[in-house]
Amino acid sequence: MKPNEHKQQVNLLKERLNDFLETLDHLEPETADLEEIDRLILMIDEIDAKVAQLRNSEN
């Protein structure tokens, strides 16, 4: 992966992480349903997959 492309991917990852944190901040623990929690888990899985992809592209 080219350095500029890698930088873009890292920025995308930062945006996804920021989206996750914003979603988590707005979550009301008392009223959160299973669908909201599943959405958070999906977001974490996507972030994890992207991190793994970036690590593999560095090698």
Side-chain angles (χ1 to χ4, degrees):
M1 183 178 293
K2 295 178 182 178
N4 190 37
E5 190 178 333
H6 187 267
K7 184 177 179 180
Q8 289 175 338
Q9 293 297 316
V10 169
N11 286 336
L12 180 62
L13 182 59
K14 287 178 182 180
E15 288 176 21
R16 288 183 179 177
L17 185 56
N18 190 43
D19 289 344
F20 172 78
L21 293 174
E22 285 182 22
T23 302
L24 192 59
D25 276 345
H26 292 98
L27 186 71
E28 294 295 330
E30 298 82 24
T31 60
D33 62 6
L34 189 56
E35 190 174 304
E36 290 174 303
I37 294 170
D38 283 344
R39 187 166 46 111
L40 289 171
I41 292 170
L42 179 61
M43 291 173 83
I44 291 171
D45 288 344
E46 290 172 351
I47 291 168
D48 185 47
K50 191 64 175 176
V51 168
Q53 179 187 13
L54 287 172
R55 282 186 182 155
N56 289 335
S57 71
E58 289 178 345
N59 296 331

